[in-house]
Amino acid sequence: MRKIFALLTLGLFLNNCFANTITVTSNADAGSGTLREAITIANSNGIAITDTIIFNIPQPIFNERIIELNDELPPIPSNTIIDGTTQPGDLYGTTDAKICIKMNQYAPSFSMLTIENADHVEIYGLVLFYGYWQGLFGPLFRSLSLYGINLIESKNVIIGAPGKGNVISGVVKGIYANSDRCSDIFIQSNYLGHGKFYENTAEDIDPVVLPASYCVVLMNVKNVTIGGSKPEYGNIFGSPGEALYIDSKHPTGNGLIKVQFNKFGRKYDQVTKVNVFDFWDAYVSIGQSGNGPLPADYFISDYRVELLDNDIPNHVFIGYQSDSIIVLRNHFEEDNRDSHHEAKLAIVSCSKGGMVGNEDAANANIFKTKLLNTDYPSIAVHASGPIGILKNVFECNSTLGSTTYIYPHLNLIPFAQVDLTTATLVEGRATPNARVDLYYDDACSACEGRVYLAKVFSDSSGKWKYNGSVNGTVITTATTAAGATGPFSQPLLI
């Protein structure tokens, strides 16, 4: 019995040493029971224990427990969890957030939350809103240095989780990093960049709720996860400007960018499209930017980029990377690009190449429908290593030629053409010793494969043949032994 008692006592001692709960009971800016006091206590506790800041403000109605700031909060220290979902009462609309942190005054620069020189920080269930909009029309002019969460030299940061997502609006940049090196940043289950939720402004957090100009801007960050391995980890991006921009000045050591199960350019209902426009940048931009914080010196960085399972009715740019680019199971549908960005997916100056789709048809990306009165490509590959484009679904993306544009630089552009089609065979010519993939063409006038048919190989003279049932118009692509896929062939009608 004495041993059991000793173990229990030791367990309680360790729990008190390594975990501490601080409860916010006031929505005032400063003073006893406030969030400011809670963060100050967490800072004074040092990093030997984990401080969890929870909320129990005695107001069940969301709009009556808004924390209105006069100044920036203290930086959030290492080993701190801020969990707004612990607050009893109403949610903000259909989101997970229960606590709103708001700043309505002019500031030359302002961060709603700052995480600086910290390790292991988690942020859940908050609405972060900067509300000074009057400067759009005259002095004091609204600043461009307005951030939702400002990451400075920090690592192992989790922003949002299933059932614990945040909402960030009103700022210029929602989640921002531009220090020399942050690492291991996880952004999950959040609503980023949207404007108002309610049609009745009296119900919302402010009469005017501006969207963020940029949802996520991360410079020089090693290992970034946007979304996660299940749909519930995905973020909803609602800015009319730019959703995601990641770049690094470091040529090596940048690690992995994984962007998975997110919905881009969608409103709070996750269905209605947001009208987007940015003159310089694609809605999702990884690599050199026209208007990002880094100078336009065309840095080559070595991110491995994995773009997986996303809903992207907008445009994606991946450029200036020396590691692999992997694009699988994304839906590039319901075309909502602006006219300054032609390709749904542009891969530029990525020397190692990569894959768009692969041998497994279950990993196909879907490229479907085109912007009204335009004939832009689905995929454009410029000055890159071999990019394999296999077993994807293309339908009505253009009315002219192949909807995949491949420009030469680091690899030979293979060709394939159909010379004869009957009900029982297809044959033609291609780059010698290449893989030739056969597709049924879509019903629109451009050349693009809608349904995958078969794979054959060309011989040393370039001839190839498929024997089997044929019940439609067949087009082809060729892929070299190095893994570079060329554009779709012109169809031969039967």
Side-chain angles (χ1 to χ4, degrees), residues 345-348 356 379-385 387 389 405-408 411:
L345 171 63
I347 300 174
V348 177
V356 180
I379 301 173
V381 178
H382 298 258
S384 292
I387 301 290
I389 304 173
Y405 291 6
I406 316 296
Y407 299 89
N411 54 275

Side-chain angles (χ1 to χ4, degrees), residues 200-340:
N200 180 1
T201 57
E203 298 180 66
D204 222 310
I205 51 179
D206 203 68
V208 177
V209 181
L210 294 178
S213 301
Y214 307 87
C215 300
V216 176
V217 177
L218 301 178
M219 302 293 101
N220 314 317
V221 177
K222 177 182 179 180
N223 295 329
V224 178
T225 300
I226 310 291
S229 60
K230 296 180 181 179
E232 55 266 33
Y233 285 90
N235 303 280
I236 314 301
F237 289 85
S239 169
E242 188 171 352
L244 178 62
Y245 172 41
I246 302 176
D247 198 3
S248 177
K249 66 183 181 182
H250 301 297
T252 60
N254 292 290
L256 172 67
I257 297 173
K258 179 175 283 189
V259 182
Q260 188 170 21
F261 278 118
N262 301 283
K263 295 184 178 183
F264 290 95
R266 302 289 186 183
K267 294 188 176 181
Y268 281 106
D269 63 10
Q270 304 187 25
V271 176
T272 306
K273 290 181 291 186
V274 174
N275 292 324
V276 304
F277 177 82
D278 187 288
F279 184 85
W280 292 106
D281 288 338
Y283 199 63
V284 177
S285 188
I286 298 172
Q288 183 67 55
S289 165
N291 60 356
L294 295 180
D297 291 336
Y298 300 100
F299 296 107
I300 300 294
S301 52
D302 70 337
Y303 284 116
R304 174 183 169 88
V305 180
E306 297 182 3
L307 189 70
L308 311 171
D309 303 293
N310 299 285
D311 165 30
I312 313 176
N314 318 104
H315 27 63
V316 175
F317 171 88
I318 303 172
Y320 305 98
Q321 303 302 320
S322 61
D323 208 330
S324 299
I325 311 302
I326 307 298
V327 182
L328 303 174
R329 302 182 301 275
N330 299 283
H331 286 242
F332 296 87
E333 299 181 69
E334 298 183 76
D335 199 351
N336 197 35
R337 292 169 288 172
D338 65 58
S339 59
H340 288 274

Side-chain angles (χ1 to χ4, degrees), residues 50-305:
T50 295
D51 290 298
T52 300
I53 298 174
I54 66 173
F55 294 81
N56 191 17
I57 298 171
Q59 294 289 353
I61 299 172
F62 180 87
N63 278 3
E64 294 182 4
R65 54 174 185 267
I66 293 174
I67 299 171
E68 297 208 26
L69 301 180
N70 297 316
D71 301 291
E72 288 187 354
L73 293 164
I76 300 167
S78 297
N79 297 322
T80 299
I81 301 168
I82 300 179
D83 190 351
T85 66
T86 56
Q87 169 66 43
D90 295 342
L91 298 164
Y92 178 56
T94 56
T95 76
D96 302 322
K98 287 190 168 185
I99 291 292
C100 177
I101 303 173
K102 176 179 176 181
M103 170 63 171
N104 262 4
Q105 304 173 41
Y106 166 80
S109 66
F110 200 87
S111 299
M112 302 303 300
L113 293 177
T114 301
I115 303 172
E116 184 171 4
N117 295 314
D119 185 2
H120 289 97
V121 173
E122 302 173 30
I123 306 295
Y124 303 125
L126 303 178
V127 175
L128 302 177
F129 172 63
Y130 183 86
Y132 177 74
W133 56 268
Q134 294 85 346
L136 293 172
F137 306 105
L140 297 166
F141 290 107
R142 184 176 147 94
S143 172
L144 297 178
S145 301
L146 304 172
Y147 311 109
I149 299 177
N150 193 357
L151 302 167
I152 304 170
E153 303 293 351
S154 294
K155 60 184 179 179
N156 298 309
V157 176
I158 301 174
I159 301 171
K164 292 176 174 285
N166 303 283
V167 179
I168 302 179
S169 58
V171 294
V172 175
K173 297 177 175 71
I175 299 172
Y176 181 73
N178 190 24
S179 57
D180 188 61
R181 183 81 80 174
C182 289
S183 68
D184 300 289
I185 307 299
F186 299 84
I187 300 171
Q188 303 168 331
S189 309
N190 304 289
Y191 288 86
L192 299 170
H194 299 78
K196 65 180 182 179
F197 182 92
Y198 295 101
E199 289 300 319
N200 180 1
T201 57
E203 298 180 66
D204 222 310
I205 51 179
D206 203 68
V208 177
V209 181
L210 294 178
S213 301
Y214 307 87
C215 300
V216 176
V217 177
L218 301 178
M219 302 293 101
N220 314 317
V221 177
K222 177 182 179 180
N223 295 329
V224 178
T225 300
I226 310 291
S229 60
K230 296 180 181 179
E232 55 266 33
Y233 285 90
N235 303 280
I236 314 301
F237 289 85
S239 169
E242 188 171 352
L244 178 62
Y245 172 41
I246 302 176
D247 198 3
S248 177
K249 66 183 181 182
H250 301 297
T252 60
N254 292 290
L256 172 67
I257 297 173
K258 179 175 283 189
V259 182
Q260 188 170 21
F261 278 118
N262 301 283
K263 295 184 178 183
F264 290 95
R266 302 289 186 183
K267 294 188 176 181
Y268 281 106
D269 63 10
Q270 304 187 25
V271 176
T272 306
K273 290 181 291 186
V274 174
N275 292 324
V276 304
F277 177 82
D278 187 288
F279 184 85
W280 292 106
D281 288 338
Y283 199 63
V284 177
S285 188
I286 298 172
Q288 183 67 55
S289 165
N291 60 356
L294 295 180
D297 291 336
Y298 300 100
F299 296 107
I300 300 294
S301 52
D302 70 337
Y303 284 116
R304 174 183 169 88
V305 180

Side-chain angles (χ1 to χ4, degrees), residues 408-421:
H409 180 59
L410 299 179
N411 54 275
L412 169 73
I413 299 178
F415 82 97
Q417 70 179 56
V418 176
D419 292 330
L420 175 65
T421 302

